[in-house]
Amino acid sequence: MRNTEGTRITKLPEFRTFWASQSLSMLGTAVSRSAVPLLAATVLSATPFQMGLLQSSLTVSFLVLGLPAGAWVDRMRRRPVMIVCDLARALLMTSLVVAALAGRLGFTWLIVVGLLLGAARTFYEIAYQSYIPSLVGRDRLVEGNSKLESTASAAQTAGPAVAGVLVQVGAAAAVSVQAVSYLFSGLLLLRIRKPEPVAGRAGRGGMGAEIRSGLRFVLGNPLMRAVAGSAATYNFFYAVQSPLVVLLLVGEAGFSGATAGALMAAGGAGGLLGAATSGWMARRLGQVRVIWLAYLVTIPTVVLLPLTGPGWRVVFFVVPWFTAAYGLVVYNVAQVSFRQAMCPDQLLGRMNASVRFLIWGIIPFGGLAGGALGEWLGVRGALLVAAVGMSSGVVWLLCSRLRGMRDIPVDAIAEPYVRSG
Protein backbone atom coordinates (compact mmCIF):
# COMPACT_ATOMS: atom_id res chain seq x y z
CA MET A 1 0.00 0.00 0.00
CA ARG A 2 1.32 3.45 -0.90
CA ASN A 3 2.45 5.52 2.08
CA THR A 4 0.63 8.86 2.05
CA GLU A 5 1.91 10.22 5.36
CA GLY A 6 3.09 13.79 4.89
CA THR A 7 1.43 14.09 1.47
CA ARG A 8 -0.68 17.20 0.95
CA ILE A 9 -4.33 16.34 1.25
CA THR A 10 -5.12 17.69 -2.21
CA LYS A 11 -2.69 15.11 -3.66
CA LEU A 12 -4.80 12.23 -2.36
CA PRO A 13 -7.13 10.98 -5.11
CA GLU A 14 -9.79 9.79 -2.64
CA PHE A 15 -10.02 13.23 -1.05
CA ARG A 16 -10.09 15.01 -4.41
CA THR A 17 -12.99 12.84 -5.52
CA PHE A 18 -14.85 13.41 -2.25
CA TRP A 19 -14.17 17.15 -2.46
CA ALA A 20 -15.59 17.31 -5.99
CA SER A 21 -18.65 15.33 -4.89
CA GLN A 22 -19.19 17.56 -1.87
CA SER A 23 -18.86 20.69 -4.03
CA LEU A 24 -21.63 19.51 -6.36
CA SER A 25 -23.87 18.40 -3.51
CA MET A 26 -23.42 21.63 -1.56
CA LEU A 27 -24.09 23.70 -4.68
CA GLY A 28 -27.28 21.72 -5.28
CA THR A 29 -28.40 22.30 -1.69
CA ALA A 30 -27.58 26.03 -1.83
CA VAL A 31 -29.47 26.43 -5.12
CA SER A 32 -32.45 24.48 -3.77
CA ARG A 33 -32.90 26.94 -0.89
CA SER A 34 -33.75 29.58 -3.48
CA ALA A 35 -34.93 27.58 -6.50
CA VAL A 36 -37.69 25.58 -4.79
CA PRO A 37 -39.32 28.68 -3.24
CA LEU A 38 -38.90 30.49 -6.58
CA LEU A 39 -40.62 27.56 -8.28
CA ALA A 40 -43.52 27.94 -5.85
CA ALA A 41 -43.71 31.69 -6.40
CA THR A 42 -43.43 31.71 -10.20
CA VAL A 43 -45.33 28.56 -11.18
CA LEU A 44 -47.85 28.24 -8.34
CA SER A 45 -48.19 31.90 -7.26
CA ALA A 46 -47.83 30.76 -3.65
CA THR A 47 -49.17 32.95 -0.85
CA PRO A 48 -46.91 34.23 1.96
CA PHE A 49 -48.33 31.57 4.30
CA GLN A 50 -47.59 28.84 1.74
CA MET A 51 -44.05 30.16 1.28
CA GLY A 52 -43.48 29.97 5.02
CA LEU A 53 -44.88 26.43 5.07
CA LEU A 54 -42.56 25.44 2.22
CA GLN A 55 -39.50 26.87 3.96
CA SER A 56 -40.42 24.96 7.11
CA SER A 57 -40.75 21.72 5.15
CA LEU A 58 -37.15 22.09 3.97
CA THR A 59 -35.71 22.58 7.47
CA VAL A 60 -37.96 20.83 10.01
CA SER A 61 -36.27 17.44 9.55
CA PHE A 62 -33.23 18.36 11.69
CA LEU A 63 -35.57 18.95 14.62
CA VAL A 64 -37.75 15.87 13.98
CA LEU A 65 -35.32 13.33 12.49
CA GLY A 66 -31.92 14.59 13.63
CA LEU A 67 -31.45 12.42 16.72
CA PRO A 68 -32.68 9.07 15.33
CA ALA A 69 -30.81 9.75 12.08
CA GLY A 70 -27.56 9.88 14.04
CA ALA A 71 -28.25 6.48 15.62
CA TRP A 72 -29.09 4.97 12.23
CA VAL A 73 -25.98 6.43 10.59
CA ASP A 74 -23.80 4.87 13.29
CA ARG A 75 -25.20 1.47 12.32
CA MET A 76 -24.16 1.86 8.67
CA ARG A 77 -21.18 2.72 6.54
CA ARG A 78 -21.35 6.46 5.90
CA ARG A 79 -20.43 6.63 2.19
CA PRO A 80 -23.39 4.47 1.02
CA VAL A 81 -25.72 6.69 3.08
CA MET A 82 -24.45 9.78 1.24
CA ILE A 83 -24.77 8.05 -2.14
CA VAL A 84 -28.39 7.06 -1.47
CA CYS A 85 -29.21 10.59 -0.27
CA ASP A 86 -27.67 12.21 -3.34
CA LEU A 87 -29.45 9.88 -5.76
CA ALA A 88 -32.75 10.28 -3.86
CA ARG A 89 -32.48 14.06 -4.10
CA ALA A 90 -31.73 13.80 -7.82
CA LEU A 91 -34.93 11.76 -8.29
CA LEU A 92 -36.99 14.19 -6.20
CA MET A 93 -35.75 17.15 -8.22
CA THR A 94 -36.44 15.28 -11.45
CA SER A 95 -40.02 14.69 -10.31
CA LEU A 96 -40.47 18.45 -9.88
CA VAL A 97 -39.08 19.13 -13.35
CA VAL A 98 -41.38 16.56 -14.96
CA ALA A 99 -44.43 17.83 -13.04
CA ALA A 100 -43.68 21.46 -13.92
CA LEU A 101 -43.13 20.75 -17.63
CA ALA A 102 -46.32 18.67 -17.74
CA GLY A 103 -48.32 21.41 -16.02
CA ARG A 104 -49.21 19.03 -13.17
CA LEU A 105 -47.18 20.55 -10.36
CA GLY A 106 -49.26 21.17 -7.24
CA PHE A 107 -48.42 22.75 -3.91
CA THR A 108 -49.12 19.53 -2.01
CA TRP A 109 -46.50 17.65 -4.02
CA LEU A 110 -44.06 20.52 -3.54
CA ILE A 111 -44.49 20.22 0.24
CA VAL A 112 -44.00 16.43 0.08
CA VAL A 113 -40.81 16.88 -1.95
CA GLY A 114 -39.63 19.57 0.47
CA LEU A 115 -40.08 17.21 3.42
CA LEU A 116 -38.25 14.38 1.64
CA LEU A 117 -35.44 16.71 0.54
CA GLY A 118 -35.04 17.86 4.13
CA ALA A 119 -34.93 14.27 5.38
CA ALA A 120 -32.29 13.34 2.79
CA ARG A 121 -30.25 16.41 3.69
CA THR A 122 -30.39 15.48 7.39
CA PHE A 123 -28.99 11.99 6.77
CA TYR A 124 -26.46 13.26 4.22
CA GLU A 125 -24.94 15.94 6.44
CA ILE A 126 -24.71 13.71 9.51
CA ALA A 127 -23.06 10.96 7.44
CA TYR A 128 -20.81 13.50 5.68
CA GLN A 129 -19.33 14.92 8.89
CA SER A 130 -18.98 11.42 10.32
CA TYR A 131 -17.20 10.10 7.21
CA ILE A 132 -14.40 12.68 7.02
CA PRO A 133 -12.20 11.26 9.84
CA SER A 134 -12.06 7.81 8.21
CA LEU A 135 -11.26 9.36 4.82
CA VAL A 136 -8.49 11.83 5.73
CA GLY A 137 -7.35 10.64 9.17
CA ARG A 138 -7.69 12.52 12.42
CA ASP A 139 -4.34 14.29 11.97
CA ARG A 140 -5.59 16.01 8.78
CA LEU A 141 -9.04 17.10 9.96
CA VAL A 142 -8.35 20.84 9.99
CA GLU A 143 -6.80 20.76 6.50
CA GLY A 144 -9.63 18.63 5.13
CA ASN A 145 -12.40 20.64 6.76
CA SER A 146 -10.92 23.95 5.61
CA LYS A 147 -10.93 22.74 1.99
CA LEU A 148 -14.50 21.48 2.29
CA GLU A 149 -15.63 24.66 4.04
CA SER A 150 -14.21 26.75 1.19
CA THR A 151 -16.58 25.12 -1.29
CA ALA A 152 -19.47 25.31 1.20
CA SER A 153 -18.88 29.07 1.52
CA ALA A 154 -18.63 29.45 -2.24
CA ALA A 155 -21.84 27.46 -2.70
CA GLN A 156 -23.70 29.57 -0.15
CA THR A 157 -22.52 32.71 -1.92
CA ALA A 158 -23.20 31.53 -5.46
CA GLY A 159 -26.32 29.44 -4.81
CA PRO A 160 -28.93 32.23 -4.68
CA ALA A 161 -27.32 34.02 -7.65
CA VAL A 162 -27.26 30.82 -9.74
CA ALA A 163 -30.89 30.10 -8.83
CA GLY A 164 -31.91 33.64 -9.77
CA VAL A 165 -30.24 33.44 -13.19
CA LEU A 166 -31.67 29.99 -13.95
CA VAL A 167 -35.18 31.02 -12.94
CA GLN A 168 -34.98 33.73 -15.59
CA VAL A 169 -34.71 30.88 -18.11
CA GLY A 170 -37.47 28.97 -16.34
CA ALA A 171 -38.12 27.61 -12.87
CA ALA A 172 -37.85 24.05 -14.17
CA ALA A 173 -34.35 24.83 -15.50
CA ALA A 174 -33.13 25.77 -12.03
CA VAL A 175 -34.49 22.58 -10.53
CA SER A 176 -33.09 20.41 -13.35
CA VAL A 177 -29.57 21.75 -12.68
CA GLN A 178 -29.98 20.67 -9.06
CA ALA A 179 -31.00 17.18 -10.15
CA VAL A 180 -27.86 16.89 -12.30
CA SER A 181 -25.59 18.17 -9.50
CA TYR A 182 -26.94 15.60 -7.02
CA LEU A 183 -26.67 12.81 -9.60
CA PHE A 184 -23.02 13.49 -10.38
CA SER A 185 -22.23 13.95 -6.69
CA GLY A 186 -23.53 10.43 -6.00
CA LEU A 187 -21.68 8.98 -8.98
CA LEU A 188 -18.40 10.53 -7.80
CA LEU A 189 -18.85 8.98 -4.35
CA LEU A 190 -19.20 5.59 -6.04
CA ARG A 191 -15.64 5.99 -7.36
CA ILE A 192 -14.04 6.19 -3.89
CA ARG A 193 -12.33 2.88 -3.13
CA LYS A 194 -10.78 3.57 0.28
CA PRO A 195 -12.12 0.99 2.77
CA GLU A 196 -14.42 2.31 5.47
CA PRO A 197 -14.55 0.80 8.97
CA VAL A 198 -17.30 -1.77 9.41
CA ALA A 199 -20.28 -0.22 11.15
CA GLY A 200 -21.68 -1.83 14.23
CA ARG A 201 -24.28 -1.25 16.89
CA ALA A 202 -22.26 0.37 19.63
CA GLY A 203 -25.20 1.05 21.88
CA ARG A 204 -27.35 -1.35 23.86
CA GLY A 205 -31.01 -1.13 24.76
CA GLY A 206 -32.50 -0.01 21.46
CA MET A 207 -32.81 3.24 19.55
CA GLY A 208 -33.67 5.35 22.61
CA ALA A 209 -30.57 4.23 24.47
CA GLU A 210 -28.36 4.96 21.44
CA ILE A 211 -29.83 8.45 21.08
CA ARG A 212 -29.29 9.11 24.79
CA SER A 213 -25.66 7.99 24.51
CA GLY A 214 -25.07 10.61 21.80
CA LEU A 215 -26.68 13.38 23.84
CA ARG A 216 -24.80 12.21 26.93
CA PHE A 217 -21.50 12.40 25.06
CA VAL A 218 -22.14 15.99 23.98
CA LEU A 219 -23.75 17.31 27.18
CA GLY A 220 -21.71 15.23 29.63
CA ASN A 221 -18.31 16.21 28.23
CA PRO A 222 -17.49 19.76 29.45
CA LEU A 223 -15.43 20.55 26.34
CA MET A 224 -18.07 19.34 23.89
CA ARG A 225 -20.78 21.08 25.93
CA ALA A 226 -18.92 24.39 25.70
CA VAL A 227 -18.55 24.10 21.92
CA ALA A 228 -22.20 23.13 21.43
CA GLY A 229 -23.35 25.88 23.80
CA SER A 230 -21.41 28.56 21.96
CA ALA A 231 -22.75 27.43 18.58
CA ALA A 232 -26.34 27.20 19.84
CA THR A 233 -26.15 30.68 21.36
CA TYR A 234 -24.74 32.11 18.14
CA ASN A 235 -27.34 30.38 15.97
CA PHE A 236 -30.29 31.51 18.10
CA PHE A 237 -29.31 35.17 17.95
CA TYR A 238 -28.22 34.89 14.31
CA ALA A 239 -31.77 33.71 13.60
CA VAL A 240 -33.00 36.78 15.51
CA GLN A 241 -30.82 38.93 13.25
CA SER A 242 -31.57 37.26 9.90
CA PRO A 243 -35.10 38.56 9.15
CA LEU A 244 -34.05 42.08 10.18
CA VAL A 245 -30.93 42.58 8.03
CA VAL A 246 -32.82 43.13 4.77
CA LEU A 247 -35.21 45.49 6.57
CA LEU A 248 -32.20 47.43 7.85
CA LEU A 249 -30.64 47.79 4.41
CA VAL A 250 -33.79 48.44 2.38
CA GLY A 251 -36.21 49.96 4.86
CA GLU A 252 -33.96 51.85 7.27
CA ALA A 253 -30.92 52.73 5.13
CA GLY A 254 -32.87 53.13 1.88
CA PHE A 255 -30.72 50.91 -0.37
CA SER A 256 -32.22 49.20 -3.41
CA GLY A 257 -32.68 45.44 -3.43
CA ALA A 258 -29.76 45.03 -5.83
CA THR A 259 -27.48 47.16 -3.65
CA ALA A 260 -28.54 45.25 -0.55
CA GLY A 261 -27.67 41.96 -2.27
CA ALA A 262 -24.27 43.30 -3.30
CA LEU A 263 -23.54 44.46 0.25
CA MET A 264 -24.50 41.09 1.70
CA ALA A 265 -22.09 39.40 -0.72
CA ALA A 266 -19.32 40.78 1.50
CA GLY A 267 -20.16 37.95 3.88
CA GLY A 268 -19.46 35.39 1.18
CA ALA A 269 -16.09 36.99 0.48
CA GLY A 270 -15.23 36.90 4.17
CA GLY A 271 -16.23 33.25 4.39
CA LEU A 272 -14.05 32.30 1.44
CA LEU A 273 -11.05 34.09 2.96
CA GLY A 274 -11.73 32.38 6.28
CA ALA A 275 -11.75 28.96 4.63
CA ALA A 276 -8.52 29.74 2.79
CA THR A 277 -6.68 30.79 5.95
CA SER A 278 -8.27 28.60 8.65
CA GLY A 279 -5.58 25.91 8.39
CA TRP A 280 -2.80 28.48 8.68
CA MET A 281 -4.56 30.12 11.64
CA ALA A 282 -4.90 26.76 13.44
CA ARG A 283 -1.20 26.00 12.95
CA ARG A 284 -0.14 29.48 14.01
CA LEU A 285 -2.40 29.92 17.02
CA GLY A 286 -3.25 26.35 17.98
CA GLN A 287 -6.10 24.13 16.84
CA VAL A 288 -8.05 24.60 20.09
CA ARG A 289 -7.04 28.17 20.90
CA VAL A 290 -8.26 29.41 17.51
CA ILE A 291 -11.81 28.26 18.34
CA TRP A 292 -12.39 30.88 21.03
CA LEU A 293 -9.93 33.44 19.69
CA ALA A 294 -11.59 33.65 16.25
CA TYR A 295 -14.98 34.04 17.92
CA LEU A 296 -13.82 36.65 20.43
CA VAL A 297 -12.01 38.88 17.92
CA THR A 298 -14.52 38.86 15.04
CA ILE A 299 -18.12 38.14 16.07
CA PRO A 300 -18.56 41.13 18.44
CA THR A 301 -18.04 43.50 15.49
CA VAL A 302 -21.71 42.92 14.59
CA VAL A 303 -22.66 45.45 17.29
CA LEU A 304 -21.83 48.05 14.61
CA LEU A 305 -24.61 46.87 12.27
CA PRO A 306 -27.38 49.06 13.77
CA LEU A 307 -25.31 52.15 12.85
CA THR A 308 -25.62 51.34 9.13
CA GLY A 309 -26.91 54.15 6.94
CA PRO A 310 -26.52 55.73 3.50
CA GLY A 311 -23.28 57.26 2.32
CA TRP A 312 -20.16 56.62 4.36
CA ARG A 313 -22.18 54.87 7.07
CA VAL A 314 -22.36 51.82 4.84
CA VAL A 315 -18.98 50.92 6.35
CA PHE A 316 -20.83 49.95 9.54
CA PHE A 317 -22.41 47.12 7.57
CA VAL A 318 -19.66 45.97 5.20
CA VAL A 319 -16.84 45.77 7.78
CA PRO A 320 -18.63 43.73 10.47
CA TRP A 321 -20.48 41.60 7.88
CA PHE A 322 -17.17 40.63 6.25
CA THR A 323 -15.26 40.28 9.54
CA ALA A 324 -17.88 38.16 11.29
CA ALA A 325 -18.23 35.86 8.26
CA TYR A 326 -14.46 35.42 8.19
CA GLY A 327 -14.26 34.60 11.88
CA LEU A 328 -17.27 32.31 11.78
CA VAL A 329 -15.71 30.08 9.11
CA VAL A 330 -12.37 29.91 10.98
CA TYR A 331 -14.32 29.06 14.15
CA ASN A 332 -16.45 26.46 12.35
CA VAL A 333 -13.50 24.66 10.76
CA ALA A 334 -11.71 24.53 14.12
CA GLN A 335 -14.69 23.44 16.23
CA VAL A 336 -15.93 20.82 13.74
CA SER A 337 -12.40 19.37 13.54
CA PHE A 338 -12.21 19.40 17.34
CA ARG A 339 -15.51 17.54 17.67
CA GLN A 340 -14.47 14.94 15.10
CA ALA A 341 -11.09 14.40 16.79
CA MET A 342 -12.64 14.09 20.26
CA CYS A 343 -15.29 11.55 19.29
CA PRO A 344 -14.84 7.76 18.95
CA ASP A 345 -15.63 6.56 15.43
CA GLN A 346 -18.58 4.40 16.51
CA LEU A 347 -20.28 7.47 18.04
CA LEU A 348 -19.62 10.04 15.31
CA GLY A 349 -23.09 9.87 13.77
CA ARG A 350 -24.87 10.30 17.09
CA MET A 351 -22.49 13.05 18.20
CA ASN A 352 -23.00 15.03 14.98
CA ALA A 353 -26.75 14.46 15.11
CA SER A 354 -26.94 15.59 18.75
CA VAL A 355 -24.94 18.74 18.04
CA ARG A 356 -27.03 19.56 14.97
CA PHE A 357 -30.24 18.95 16.90
CA LEU A 358 -29.11 21.35 19.63
CA ILE A 359 -27.67 24.10 17.45
CA TRP A 360 -30.04 23.95 14.45
CA GLY A 361 -33.23 22.95 16.27
CA ILE A 362 -33.14 26.28 18.09
CA ILE A 363 -33.11 28.36 14.88
CA PRO A 364 -36.92 28.50 14.29
CA PHE A 365 -37.39 29.93 17.80
CA GLY A 366 -34.78 32.60 17.11
CA GLY A 367 -36.62 33.64 13.95
CA LEU A 368 -39.86 34.07 15.90
CA ALA A 369 -38.02 36.05 18.58
CA GLY A 370 -36.47 38.29 15.91
CA GLY A 371 -39.86 39.18 14.49
CA ALA A 372 -41.26 39.96 17.94
CA LEU A 373 -38.24 42.07 18.93
CA GLY A 374 -38.42 43.97 15.65
CA GLU A 375 -42.02 44.92 16.39
CA TRP A 376 -41.22 45.90 19.98
CA LEU A 377 -37.82 47.63 19.74
CA GLY A 378 -37.67 48.53 16.08
CA VAL A 379 -35.20 47.11 13.55
CA ARG A 380 -32.07 48.78 14.92
CA GLY A 381 -32.90 48.01 18.55
CA ALA A 382 -33.60 44.36 17.79
CA LEU A 383 -30.36 44.09 15.81
CA LEU A 384 -28.44 45.43 18.80
CA VAL A 385 -30.00 42.76 21.04
CA ALA A 386 -29.09 40.12 18.43
CA ALA A 387 -25.51 41.40 18.22
CA VAL A 388 -24.99 41.30 21.99
CA GLY A 389 -26.52 37.81 22.09
CA MET A 390 -24.32 36.52 19.25
CA SER A 391 -21.25 37.95 20.97
CA SER A 392 -22.18 36.28 24.27
CA GLY A 393 -21.68 32.82 22.79
CA VAL A 394 -17.95 33.12 23.41
CA VAL A 395 -18.59 33.05 27.19
CA TRP A 396 -19.18 29.29 26.94
CA LEU A 397 -15.68 28.88 25.51
CA LEU A 398 -13.87 31.32 27.80
CA CYS A 399 -15.36 29.69 30.92
CA SER A 400 -14.26 26.20 29.88
CA ARG A 401 -10.92 24.38 29.91
CA LEU A 402 -10.64 25.13 26.19
CA ARG A 403 -9.22 28.55 27.08
CA GLY A 404 -6.09 26.94 28.54
CA MET A 405 -5.49 24.48 25.69
CA ARG A 406 -3.47 25.16 22.55
CA ASP A 407 -3.88 21.94 20.57
CA ILE A 408 -5.87 18.73 20.83
CA PRO A 409 -3.94 16.17 22.93
CA VAL A 410 -2.79 13.05 21.13
CA ASP A 411 -5.03 10.88 23.33
CA ALA A 412 -7.99 13.24 22.99
CA ILE A 413 -10.72 10.71 22.10
CA ALA A 414 -13.11 10.98 25.01
CA GLU A 415 -14.02 7.32 25.53
CA PRO A 416 -15.02 7.72 29.21
CA TYR A 417 -17.95 9.90 28.25
CA VAL A 418 -19.43 7.14 26.10
CA ARG A 419 -19.87 5.01 29.23
CA SER A 420 -20.83 7.76 31.65
CA GLY A 421 -24.36 8.01 32.91
Side-chain angles (χ1 to χ4, degrees):
M1 180 178 293
R2 181 169 55 94
N3 180 19
T4 60
E5 185 176 354
T7 306
R8 289 183 61 84
I9 200 168
T10 51
K11 300 291 186 182
L12 303 178
E14 298 90 352
F15 179 78
R16 290 202 305 270
T17 302
F18 179 69
W19 192 9
S21 168
Q22 179 257 6
S23 301
L24 288 171
S25 186
M26 290 295 180
L27 179 61
T29 300
V31 172
S32 69
R33 292 174 190 166
S34 300
V36 173
L38 285 170
L39 186 68
T42 57
V43 176
L44 302 178
S45 300
T47 66
F49 174 76
Q50 288 177 321
M51 293 294 285
L53 194 62
L54 178 59
Q55 287 288 4
S56 297
S57 73
L58 291 166
T59 56
V60 73
S61 60
F62 274 105
L63 190 60
V64 176
L65 291 177
L67 292 176
W72 281 320
V73 166
D74 275 340
R75 299 178 181 183
M76 314 170 192
R77 286 187 172 93
R78 284 72 186 250
R79 186 172 66 94
V81 173
M82 291 187 290
I83 293 170
V84 169
C85 290
D86 270 336
L87 297 182
R89 289 187 288 184
L91 286 173
L92 289 167
M93 288 301 181
T94 301
S95 76
L96 291 182
V97 174
V98 172
L101 293 177
R104 302 296 297 273
L105 181 64
F107 188 75
T108 300
W109 180 240
L110 201 59
I111 290 292
V112 170
V113 170
L115 289 169
L116 294 174
L117 284 172
R121 182 188 174 196
T122 299
F123 277 89
Y124 177 90
E125 295 202 6
I126 291 171
Y128 152 72
Q129 286 202 338
S130 304
Y131 178 63
I132 295 170
S134 66
L135 180 69
V136 304
R138 293 177 183 270
D139 58 329
R140 289 173 166 158
L141 285 173
V142 171
E143 186 182 0
N145 281 318
S146 64
K147 297 291 188 295
L148 297 169
E149 187 67 30
S150 67
T151 52
S153 297
Q156 290 168 10
T157 303
V162 172
V165 171
L166 291 172
V167 166
Q168 298 301 314
V169 179
V175 178
S176 64
V177 168
Q178 291 172 257
V180 172
S181 71
Y182 286 134
L183 174 62
F184 278 95
S185 174
L187 293 177
L188 282 169
L189 287 174
L190 283 170
R191 297 183 58 189
I192 297 176
R193 294 290 180 261
K194 184 172 183 178
E196 187 179 351
V198 177
R201 292 190 59 172
R204 292 191 294 269
M207 178 70 71
E210 293 183 36
I211 290 172
R212 285 193 298 273
S213 69
L215 285 169
R216 211 164 40 233
F217 179 82
V218 174
L219 298 177
N221 181 330
L223 302 180
M224 298 289 286
R225 187 169 63 241
V227 170
S230 71
T233 302
Y234 175 90
N235 276 359
F236 177 83
F237 286 102
Y238 178 79
V240 171
Q241 178 198 77
S242 291
L244 303 172
V245 170
V246 173
L247 295 177
L248 171 70
L249 293 174
V250 177
E252 298 284 323
F255 296 117
S256 67
T259 301
L263 292 173
M264 293 177 72
L272 287 172
L273 182 61
T277 60
S278 57
W280 178 84
M281 293 285 286
R283 291 189 298 272
R284 183 84 173 181
L285 301 173
Q287 187 176 340
V288 175
R289 185 184 295 161
V290 77
I291 297 176
W292 61 265
L293 199 55
Y295 198 128
L296 179 65
V297 172
T298 63
I299 301 303
T301 61
V302 296
V303 298
L304 298 174
L305 289 178
L307 300 176
T308 300
W312 69 269
R313 289 170 60 197
V314 73
V315 72
F316 290 121
F317 181 85
V318 174
V319 171
W321 200 251
F322 175 93
T323 303
Y326 172 85
L328 182 64
V329 169
V330 174
Y331 160 83
N332 272 337
V333 169
Q335 64 93 359
V336 168
S337 302
F338 175 79
R339 288 194 281 113
Q340 291 167 338
M342 286 285 292
C343 186
D345 187 74
Q346 72 271 17
L347 202 64
L348 276 167
R350 281 166 286 168
M351 179 276 290
N352 285 317
S354 297
V355 170
R356 296 234 165 188
F357 174 80
L358 294 169
I359 71 177
W360 286 26
I362 203 170
I363 288 176
F365 303 105
L368 293 174
L373 285 171
E375 292 286 341
W376 180 36
L377 300 175
V379 171
R380 295 182 189 272
L383 281 171
L384 181 59
V385 172
V388 173
M390 290 164 66
S391 302
S392 70
V394 76
V395 174
W396 288 88
L397 304 172
L398 295 178
C399 292
S400 73
R401 288 191 294 114
L402 290 168
R403 187 165 59 90
M405 300 171 64
R406 185 185 190 279
D407 292 298
I408 300 173
V410 176
D411 55 347
I413 298 181
E415 288 282 1
Y417 294 101
V418 182
R419 298 187 292 271
S420 67

